[in-house]
Amino acid sequence: MLNNWVVVPTCLPLVLRRCHTCASERFRASGKFRVNANHKLIDAWILVLCTACGETAKLTLLERVHVRSVRPELLERLHDNDSGLIAGLLQDPVVQRRNRIALDWDGAWRLDTGGSDHLDREVIDVSVHFAARIPVRPVRLIAEGCGLSRAEADRRVAQGKLVSAVRLSGKLSGDFTFTLKR
């Protein structure tokens, strides 16, 4: 029987970027956009706040774009400070590259395993789904979901009792499946 686990974000991740005021490297999303129109051109940014000094920084979304080329639904969501849109745009690789930022997901996600009734079985087949692109070590997820220490999970990988089609070392942010033999 296949068990389904889900990695779910619990809050917005921190933005890793250097603060020009205090040299801190962590920002939190303020939950607001800044939209500025100049005649027929529009600019839009996500506002982020330094966790150390509170200084505001802007992450560029649109820069000197013709207003008619922006979808009306997107424009409305920008004006409404839509938190779902902020979460989606922060995870967008194009936005991350353009603003030279990375995301810190520590403490911003949880693993939903659907209960612990699967732990007493001899063989466990699990499908792990990511609700957002959260980079996590698969061995960490497996250890947490199965009630093992990380060292024990690593030992089972070495023994061949924990197998997957994906590499279990390193970080992963996409769906995968694994089989654990007791």
Side-chain angles (χ1 to χ4, degrees), residues 39-50:
H39 300 287
K40 296 178 184 177
L41 301 178
I42 190 168
D43 298 312
W45 303 274
I46 296 174
L47 299 179
V48 292
L49 304 170
C50 178

Side-chain angles (χ1 to χ4, degrees), residues 85-161:
L85 181 60
I86 291 173
L89 289 172
L90 281 177
Q91 295 178 49
D92 185 353
V94 174
V95 172
Q96 289 180 10
R97 249 189 330 274
R98 179 180 201 174
N99 292 284
R100 295 185 193 112
I101 63 168
L103 300 179
D104 180 7
W105 283 96
D106 287 346
W109 61 272
R110 75 173 188 278
L111 176 65
D112 290 336
T113 61
S116 61
D117 59 339
H118 62 279
L119 296 178
D120 57 348
R121 292 195 208 128
E122 198 61 33
V123 177
I124 303 169
D125 290 317
V126 178
S127 172
V128 180
H129 172 71
F130 287 80
R133 283 189 302 270
I134 303 171
V136 182
R137 295 184 187 282
V139 173
R140 177 181 179 190
L141 289 177
I142 295 167
E144 184 177 321
C146 294
L148 303 171
S149 69
R150 297 228 336 242
E152 177 63 24
D154 285 332
R155 204 170 10 261
R156 291 191 184 199
V157 169
Q159 294 171 349
K161 293 183 176 183

Side-chain angles (χ1 to χ4, degrees), residues 40-107:
K40 296 178 184 177
L41 301 178
I42 190 168
D43 298 312
W45 303 274
I46 296 174
L47 299 179
V48 292
L49 304 170
C50 178
T51 57
C53 69
E55 181 71 20
T56 301
K58 298 184 292 188
L59 304 179
T60 303
L61 302 174
L62 303 173
E63 190 170 40
R64 299 288 175 216
V65 175
H66 198 279
V67 174
R68 291 188 183 200
S69 67
V70 179
R71 293 187 333 267
E73 309 86 47
L74 175 62
L75 201 52
E76 186 175 327
R77 291 177 76 186
L78 288 170
H79 285 298
D80 291 341
N81 292 319
D82 186 338
S83 61
L85 181 60
I86 291 173
L89 289 172
L90 281 177
Q91 295 178 49
D92 185 353
V94 174
V95 172
Q96 289 180 10
R97 249 189 330 274
R98 179 180 201 174
N99 292 284
R100 295 185 193 112
I101 63 168
L103 300 179
D104 180 7
W105 283 96
D106 287 346

